[in-house]
Amino acid sequence: MKYALRFAKNAGDYLTGFHEAEFESLCNLFHITNITIEAKNEDIWIVNCDSQSVIEKLVSRSVFLKTAIKLFCFSNSREELYIQLQNDSILSSQIVKYLTSSENGFKVLISTVNKTLTASGKIDLIEELLGCLPEFEIQINLKDPGITLHLLENYEHEAGCLSHCYLGISLPCEERSKVMTEFSIKKRHFIGNTTMDPVLSAAMSNIARVDTGNLVLDPFVGTGGIVLLCAYHGGYCFGSDLDYKTVHGVSKPSRSGLKGRRRAKDECIRTNFYTHGFEERFLDVCVNDACDIFWKNGNIFDAIVTDPPYGIREGIKMINSEIKLNSVESHASMQQNSPIEMFKNLVDFAAKHLKKEGRLVFWMPSLTTLSSFEPDLHIPKHPGMKFVHFCSQTITNTSSRCLVCLEKIGDDFAEDTKSQVCVDYYDLGPEVKFRDAYLNSIT
């Protein structure tokens, strides 16, 4: 059976590669092998799958799938579609059988890509569509239909010409809107300046293949926006951060209109988990330098999902190793750390503490005015980890950030093995710092 899958376009986010990364990761998570991609037309894919339950599994987790249609037919124009319906009696009878099979009736949904149709235009299109089918008793139910006949039209972005039509039965795709609504940052009790968008947090969890009962770590947890969505997917979450005030919820409020005020006593990561019913999945958060590992050796975590500081809005700092960690001065004496060293330390940590086939998912910043970010050259490599996915989010005309996914492949390496990069993307010479170049490019 063929299905049309329409992926959401994130207006203003300019996301690249997320559809493919999330789709592959969810197929891998659910052990789905009986699905093949037949065609890709921008954000609409045609896939072959012999089980509707498989598609429903993907839909239940994906935050980028906006529409899923069990196809009756598809064509390059309306005229061609109408001819198929009029000339193929078996096809048209099958559609009528579906539409009359539910006691709750049906509705017809018209959706378009790259073009907006008027309400009257949609009504005319519905009448034309139903007019191509054999006569039958029409039982319309717009509020709670048992069946939704869905016509999806894809128009060329620049020319505005209709390029493809897809007709079939619509499957519910509610996960994206559910995540956006239930985990909205505006509604969240505890947030910060760098709290991750809920859709991107859920996507990171999906790409990391977080599943029920998994142990998940965010070593740069901040306000816990990422691990909150990992808990939503069933993970048991632990976090650490070097910022004492953020971890304990005593930093300055980030919401507008609260300048000069103190945070409420219950503003903390645990409260966000409790609000969503995930308190049992919140293990703990500690104040810790991610570069100074206190974990025992061994494969502990199923996934490490994080958004490290880039040294732009939040500084990249580490505890001065010359001062004892148990002294009061240890957290008062910080030394700046370079971005690439931080990313290398993160990969080294993942290689030692992830379970086999566990995934590390993290962000790296890039500046398009310097050079393009090349995964083979700029992502740290470790013999215990393999590169899996690379996605990017354009932030401005000159800056972006890249989501990297690495997977643990084994422990066959020396304990003191360190990750290496072919080219340090952030080394701009002795006179220029990456942060200065980044800020100068957007001002």
Side-chain angles (χ1 to χ4, degrees):
M1 188 69 191
K2 297 183 188 297
Y3 295 83
L5 305 180
R6 178 190 175 189
F7 294 90
K9 288 184 177 180
N10 281 40
D13 283 344
Y14 304 103
L15 304 178
T16 304
F18 282 84
H19 303 166
E20 293 83 354
E22 187 192 51
F23 184 84
E24 180 279 333
S25 300
L26 292 180
C27 285
N28 196 289
L29 172 64
F30 295 129
H31 307 289
I32 297 172
T33 57
N34 59 336
I35 188 170
T36 57
I37 302 172
E38 181 178 299
K40 293 182 181 181
N41 180 26
E42 295 182 355
D43 297 316
I44 300 176
W45 294 4
I46 302 297
V47 300
N48 283 310
C49 185
D50 56 12
S51 173
Q52 182 173 320
S53 62
V54 167
I55 302 298
E56 291 172 346
K57 273 188 176 182
L58 292 174
V59 167
S60 70
R61 275 284 296 256
S62 174
V63 289
F64 290 113
L65 267 176
K66 189 174 183 178
T67 302
I69 303 174
K70 186 177 182 180
L71 287 174
F72 290 125
C73 56
F74 57 96
S75 63
N76 296 325
S77 66
R78 288 182 189 172
E79 292 73 18
E80 184 180 331
L81 178 67
Y82 295 160
I83 291 173
Q84 286 187 56
L85 296 177
Q86 292 169 347
N87 294 344
D88 191 336
S89 59
I90 297 178
L91 172 63
S92 57
S93 298
Q94 182 185 11
I95 295 175
V96 170
K97 183 178 179 180
Y98 262 96
L99 298 183
T100 56
S101 62
S102 174
E103 295 180 355
N104 290 336
F106 72 94
K107 76 173 183 179
V108 181
L109 176 63
I110 308 294
S111 59
T112 57
V113 180
N114 297 325
K115 187 174 182 177
T116 302
L117 298 182
T118 63
S120 60
K122 289 184 178 181
I123 293 174
D124 293 340
L125 184 53
I126 292 173
E127 292 177 349
E128 291 176 2
L129 183 62
L130 296 179
C132 296
L133 300 175
E135 290 187 8
F136 66 100
E137 184 179 349
I138 297 177
Q139 185 181 352
I140 299 293
N141 185 345
L142 298 179
K143 291 185 177 181
D144 186 26
I147 298 288
T148 299
L149 181 65
H150 194 161
L151 175 61
L152 171 62
E153 295 188 331
N154 188 24
Y155 290 81
E156 294 180 4
H157 182 67
E158 295 182 357
C161 301
L162 181 61
S163 60
H164 294 88
C165 297
Y166 307 90
L167 180 65
I169 300 300
S170 183
L171 304 180
C173 282
E174 301 174 350
E175 185 64 11
R176 179 181 174 83
S177 60
K178 179 181 178 182
V179 167
M180 293 175 68
T181 302
E182 294 188 8
F183 296 93
S184 170
I185 293 177
K186 294 180 180 180
K187 299 178 182 178
R188 205 171 298 177
H189 192 60
F190 179 52
I191 64 170
N193 293 328
T194 57
T195 299
M196 183 66 65
D197 171 84
V199 170
L200 291 179
S201 297
M204 293 174 70
S205 177
N206 284 338
I207 293 172
R209 301 183 305 195
V210 174
D211 201 4
T212 302
N214 282 175
L215 184 59
V216 183
L217 171 69
D218 184 348
F220 304 95
V221 70
T223 57
I226 297 174
V227 287
L228 181 64
L229 271 298
C230 292
Y232 170 62
H233 290 149
Y236 287 82
C237 303
F238 192 95
S240 65
D241 204 292
L242 191 55
D243 190 337
Y244 175 93
K245 290 184 177 181
T246 298
V247 169
H248 288 273
V250 295
S251 57
K252 294 180 180 179
S254 301
R255 300 185 190 276
S256 60
L258 297 180
K259 186 176 181 180
R261 300 184 185 180
R262 292 185 177 182
R263 289 185 181 272
K265 291 183 178 180
D266 63 344
E267 279 195 68
C268 61
I269 297 175
R270 182 186 293 275
T271 300
N272 287 345
F273 275 70
Y274 179 82
T275 301
H276 291 281
F278 306 147
E279 189 174 17
E280 66 175 11
R281 300 175 195 168
F282 174 77
L283 300 181
D284 208 346
V285 174
C286 67
V287 179
N288 174 60
D289 183 353
C291 296
D292 188 83
I293 308 305
F294 65 89
W295 298 98
K296 68 177 183 180
N297 291 330
N299 304 331
I300 304 172
F301 302 104
D302 297 285
I304 299 174
V305 190
T306 189
D307 180 27
Y310 314 144
I312 298 168
R313 285 192 294 178
E314 299 290 340
I316 303 174
K317 297 180 179 180
M318 59 185 295
I319 296 174
N320 192 330
S321 59
E322 296 179 357
I323 299 179
K324 294 181 180 180
L325 292 177
N326 61 357
S327 67
V328 176
E329 293 84 3
S330 63
H331 287 279
S333 179
M334 304 290 182
Q335 60 186 32
Q336 293 293 328
N337 194 10
S338 67
I340 197 61
E341 289 302 319
M342 179 191 60
F343 293 126
K344 288 164 64 176
N345 289 334
L346 179 61
V347 174
D348 292 342
F349 174 80
K352 290 183 178 180
H353 295 89
L354 274 176
K355 297 178 182 178
K356 188 176 181 181
E357 297 185 355
R359 286 187 171 184
L360 166 65
V361 178
F362 64 102
W363 292 94
M364 297 179 71
S366 62
L367 197 57
T368 55
T369 53
L370 295 176
S371 62
S372 60
F373 192 97
E374 300 293 339
D376 290 341
L377 297 177
H378 302 134
I379 295 175
K381 297 180 180 179
H382 191 284
M385 306 289 289
K386 72 173 182 178
F387 171 79
V388 182
H389 291 299
F390 174 80
C391 316
S392 65
Q393 178 190 20
T394 300
I395 299 174
T396 69
N397 292 333
T398 58
S399 62
S400 62
R401 59 179 178 176
C402 309
L403 187 69
V404 178
C405 176
L406 305 179
E407 185 175 316
K408 175 80 171 283
I409 57 176
D411 296 297
D412 189 18
F413 55 87
E415 186 175 346
D416 60 350
T417 301
K418 302 294 183 182
S419 58
Q420 302 294 329
V421 291
C422 297
V423 178
D424 183 354
Y425 183 83
Y426 307 102
D427 184 5
L428 307 181
E431 303 297 328
V432 182
K433 293 183 178 180
F434 179 78
R435 179 180 184 275
D436 296 333
Y438 186 99
L439 293 177
N440 291 334
S441 70
I442 61 176
T443 56

